[in-house]
Amino acid sequence: MQSAENDEFIYHESLVHPALLLHDKPKTVFIMGGGEGSAAREALKHYSIEKVVMSDIDQEVVNICRKHLTANQEAFADNRLHVIINDAKMELEKSESKYDVIAGDLSDTREGGPCNHLYFKSFYESVIKPKLNENGIFVTQAGFAGILSHKGLFSSIYNTTKQVFKYVIAYTAHVPSFADTRGWVLASDQPFKLDAEVLEKRIKERINGELQYLDADFMLSRTVMNKTVDTSLLNETNILTEENEKFLFGHGLLAADSV
């Protein structure tokens, strides 16, 4: 669904650009998942980027998208992009590199799903955080964030991330192909400079081409939640762990338990 041609730019601009623009000078990016290449495409629009590592577990998806998604063929041909077929956790663990930005372009959790462990507190704590540079930023897609859907995963990811990083921001965007609002979570141990004037200047100076969805004011506005969602984020106590997985409605035990 993240690859729907008419509106995938909403999802991928939202995932990638806030983290890169809030970083003072990002040079290296690690993308967990992202096999269709769209997150890499957005990251490579930044002049400062020297290396993007994309680690996806599915070779077939990468091959098909490299061949057929014409919007991403330039990104796949960019020599700054390094595509690795491997579980992102295993790849980060064995790598000696650290990154300015680590982005989770992942599927939602489901029973037995391949990405569930990439949302656990232990993963954020023992793998993500040590692989970030001193002023590094972590960002992940965080499931549905609508007024009726945000408790499925969004609020839990937000609370889990808060247990590991000092500064955490949640933000949302409506994506028509999902027929709902989607959420993302940004995290760092350095405070974020949420200044629209600075961010707009960075958009103009750093990015090759025009963004279709985001400008500085709108980007900051996405961090403001309605009262229902904001209250849920503040009051959420659930932490995602190996013993305490959570599945989205329609994707496993939660759906069965809710009937």
Side-chain angles (χ1 to χ4, degrees), residues 112-155:
C115 295
N116 296 6
H117 62 296
L118 303 181
Y119 294 101
F120 293 158
K121 179 190 174 193
S122 60
F123 175 62
Y124 294 166
E125 209 163 35
S126 64
V127 181
I128 292 290
K129 198 167 183 177
K131 293 300 180 179
L132 285 170
N133 286 323
E134 184 178 353
N135 58 344
I137 295 174
F138 169 59
V139 61
T140 184
Q141 85 85 19
F144 292 106
I147 198 164
L148 299 179
S149 59
H150 66 279
K151 290 184 179 180
L153 189 62
F154 181 51
S155 59

Side-chain angles (χ1 to χ4, degrees), residues 6-249:
N6 283 342
D7 60 11
E8 58 84 8
F9 66 91
I10 300 174
Y11 173 93
H12 290 103
E13 285 190 15
S14 297
L15 172 70
V16 172
H17 294 295
L20 291 179
L21 291 167
L22 286 167
H23 194 285
D24 286 336
K25 192 174 182 181
K27 294 182 179 180
T28 56
V29 177
F30 187 97
I31 299 170
M32 302 187 293
E36 85 275 59
S38 299
R41 178 197 70 213
E42 296 301 319
L44 291 166
K45 289 179 180 179
H46 287 249
Y47 293 115
S48 67
I49 294 301
E50 297 174 357
K51 183 178 182 179
V52 175
V53 177
M54 185 184 83
S55 181
D56 195 284
I57 202 168
D58 196 325
Q59 178 75 71
E60 186 175 3
V61 166
V62 173
N63 290 344
I64 289 172
C65 293
R66 189 195 295 264
K67 181 178 180 180
H68 295 290
L69 285 184
T70 56
N72 296 341
Q73 286 176 348
E74 185 176 340
F76 276 116
D78 195 308
N79 59 18
R80 294 174 293 167
L81 177 62
H82 302 262
V83 178
I84 297 170
I85 305 302
N86 196 7
D87 177 85
K89 179 176 183 288
M90 293 175 61
E91 190 59 35
L92 282 169
E93 285 175 333
K94 76 176 188 179
S95 173
E96 296 181 0
S97 300
K98 291 190 175 186
Y99 299 89
D100 296 319
V101 172
I102 297 177
D105 187 11
L106 307 168
S107 59
D108 294 327
T109 57
R110 65 178 188 269
E111 187 177 5
C115 295
N116 296 6
H117 62 296
L118 303 181
Y119 294 101
F120 293 158
K121 179 190 174 193
S122 60
F123 175 62
Y124 294 166
E125 209 163 35
S126 64
V127 181
I128 292 290
K129 198 167 183 177
K131 293 300 180 179
L132 285 170
N133 286 323
E134 184 178 353
N135 58 344
I137 295 174
F138 169 59
V139 61
T140 184
Q141 85 85 19
F144 292 106
I147 198 164
L148 299 179
S149 59
H150 66 279
K151 290 184 179 180
L153 189 62
F154 181 51
S155 59
S156 292
I157 292 177
Y158 175 73
N159 187 55
T160 302
T161 310
K162 279 172 55 181
Q163 311 307 308
V164 179
F165 292 92
K166 292 180 181 178
Y167 303 94
V168 178
I169 297 173
Y171 60 100
T172 65
H174 179 75
V175 183
S177 287
F178 284 101
D180 202 349
T181 300
R182 295 295 290 187
W184 296 265
V185 173
L186 269 170
S188 180
D189 280 340
Q190 300 296 322
F192 295 111
K193 300 171 185 175
L194 299 176
D195 184 304
E197 186 175 340
V198 170
L199 291 172
E200 193 61 37
K201 185 171 183 288
R202 289 180 175 183
I203 289 172
K204 292 176 181 177
E205 293 177 352
R206 293 185 180 186
I207 295 177
N208 182 12
E210 293 286 330
L211 299 182
Q212 297 182 68
Y213 183 69
L214 293 175
D215 61 22
D217 287 329
F218 189 66
M219 188 171 83
L220 294 181
S221 76
R222 300 297 83 200
T223 67
V224 180
M225 308 291 150
N226 62 66
K227 184 177 180 180
T228 297
V229 175
D230 190 50
T231 300
S232 294
L233 293 180
L234 290 173
N235 294 334
E236 181 63 74
T237 59
N238 189 62
I239 298 171
L240 298 171
T241 67
E242 290 83 345
E243 298 78 25
N244 184 40
E245 293 187 67
K246 199 169 188 181
F247 309 117
L248 287 188
F249 289 100

